[in-house]
Amino acid sequence: VSALATPAAAAAAAAPSQRRRGSTPSPSTSSSLLSSEAEAKAYLRLARWAHRTGQESKESLVSLYETACKGLSGRESGHFHLAEYHSELLEHMRKVRNAARGASSS
């Protein structure tokens, strides 16, 4: 069996230049395939890369982070990065709300 037999392993091996928007393996179908901590770490790296480069939707990013958290049970790193992402979303929403308030009062 090839090392790239699972979708998680294939996703981790794919270079960013070879991936297209929306080509991330579905965590809902592959979360049961997380057989090792290394695969969970690959999902975490993929989620962080997709977040920083804007390659995935908010829902896809949350799914990737949650999949990594499940595979890294007992470790804080996945939860930390998921919370960091949620914090950034909240800050962005506050800025949008404040900008909308400023525009309506003018």
Side-chain angles (χ1 to χ4, degrees):
V1 174
S2 168
L4 298 178
T6 65
S17 62
Q18 295 172 334
R19 297 173 37 81
R20 288 187 222 160
R21 187 178 192 120
S23 64
T24 304
S26 171
S28 60
T29 58
S30 57
S31 61
S32 62
L33 298 175
L34 290 180
S35 60
S36 71
E37 187 175 321
E39 288 181 38
K41 286 181 180 180
Y43 267 98
L44 182 57
R45 284 190 300 273
L46 177 61
R48 291 179 67 199
W49 171 81
H51 171 209
R52 296 292 175 222
T53 59
Q55 295 294 314
E56 296 293 333
S57 69
K58 293 173 191 160
E59 295 82 13
S60 295
L61 283 171
V62 169
S63 293
L64 286 170
Y65 278 121
E66 288 175 346
T67 300
C69 289
K70 288 176 188 173
L72 294 171
S73 60
R75 299 194 61 192
E76 295 179 7
S77 59
H79 295 283
F80 171 80
H81 291 292
L82 176 59
E84 184 179 51
Y85 176 65
H86 282 142
S87 178
E88 287 180 24
L89 285 177
L90 181 61
E91 185 61 32
H92 175 72
M93 289 171 53
R94 285 181 181 154
K95 287 179 183 177
V96 169
R97 183 185 64 200
N98 290 340
R101 284 183 182 171
S104 66
S105 64
S106 307

